[in-house]
Amino acid sequence: MVSKLQERSGGLCELCSKNEATIAYTISPKKDDSIDNQVAICNECMANMEGNDKGYYWRCLEGSIWSPEPSVQALSYRLLHTYKSEDWAENVLSMVDLDEDTVQWALNGLETAEVHKDAFGNVLESGDTVVLTQALDVKGTNFSAPKGTVVKRIRLVQDNIEQIEGKINDQMIVILTKYVKKNN
């Protein structure tokens, strides 16, 4: 680990403060070109970041969020935000008043690209075949599409992840993704 980061952390993990810091963890989306973008963490914290359902472990963030280092604040905030449905994490987030840039840095790492998904959470792609999960009245036409109708070679509506386009009875229509199942 970089000696300046080791010096700053006193050799201890900057999140849990109980184990030896062995990893210089860079907080995305920043680069590892400065210790200002890094946090000294231990193997246990690293393992828990990669695991799921470890909310109880992260109670240590109740202390690390108050660090004077923006990188430690950002990582602590990001981790707390992932557990915000738990009362203890929500309480900590409501008490802390971080710099807006630090909060934005923390939240930038949580952003994921939105994708089209069917009623069962399967990712849809252009060209897929789907099956209607319920009968649909097709607006602007004189027919309805029965449950079980197969729609081949769908197209994704680019600005709305809840809609796809497909042909039924030789007419191109918009279909809500919550009414389709991907046909594997």
Side-chain angles (χ1 to χ4, degrees):
M1 187 177 352
V2 180
S3 61
K4 286 184 180 182
L5 188 58
Q6 185 79 10
E7 186 179 312
R8 181 183 86 191
S9 69
L12 290 176
C13 177
E14 291 181 287
L15 294 179
C16 70
S17 301
K18 66 178 182 178
N19 299 322
E20 178 187 354
T22 56
I23 301 165
Y25 186 84
T26 303
I27 315 303
S28 64
K30 304 241 178 157
K31 304 286 184 232
D32 63 357
D33 56 358
S34 167
I35 69 164
D36 293 337
N37 301 335
Q38 297 178 324
V39 176
I41 64 171
C42 64
N43 292 332
E44 188 175 0
C45 282
M46 186 68 191
N48 281 297
M49 276 196 282
E50 295 169 349
N52 293 329
D53 300 325
K54 299 290 186 179
Y56 62 91
Y57 177 82
W58 293 116
R59 297 294 298 253
C60 63
L61 300 174
E62 292 171 314
S64 65
I65 191 73
W66 301 102
S67 169
E69 297 298 328
S71 60
V72 177
Q73 293 173 352
L75 182 56
S76 297
Y77 191 93
R78 182 179 295 174
L79 291 166
L80 283 164
H81 195 269
T82 61
Y83 294 101
K84 69 181 179 190
S85 63
E86 296 187 26
D87 289 340
W88 68 270
E90 182 59 36
N91 288 340
V92 174
L93 288 171
S94 68
M95 286 190 304
V96 72
D97 185 27
L98 298 178
D99 178 76
E100 189 59 37
D101 291 338
T102 303
V103 171
Q104 196 57 46
W105 180 15
L107 296 178
N108 280 345
L110 296 174
E111 292 176 2
T112 56
E114 293 186 336
V115 294
H116 289 72
K117 293 184 180 183
D118 71 3
F120 302 96
N122 300 309
V123 175
L124 298 171
E125 296 178 13
S126 285
D128 282 347
T129 299
V130 297
V131 178
L132 298 182
T133 58
Q134 72 178 51
L136 301 176
D137 288 326
V138 182
K139 293 180 180 169
T141 68
N142 58 356
F143 69 91
S144 65
K147 178 180 179 178
T149 300
V150 176
V151 183
K152 296 180 180 180
R153 295 192 313 270
I154 63 164
R155 289 190 291 199
L156 306 180
V157 174
Q158 293 304 317
D159 58 346
N160 189 336
I161 62 167
E162 296 177 359
Q163 296 178 344
I164 58 172
E165 294 177 331
K167 273 191 178 179
I168 296 179
N169 291 350
D170 293 324
Q171 281 195 290
M172 185 64 76
I173 63 167
V174 174
I175 306 167
L176 297 179
T177 57
K178 65 183 179 181
Y179 301 128
V180 300
K181 176 182 181 255
K182 186 173 183 174
N183 195 9
N184 294 332

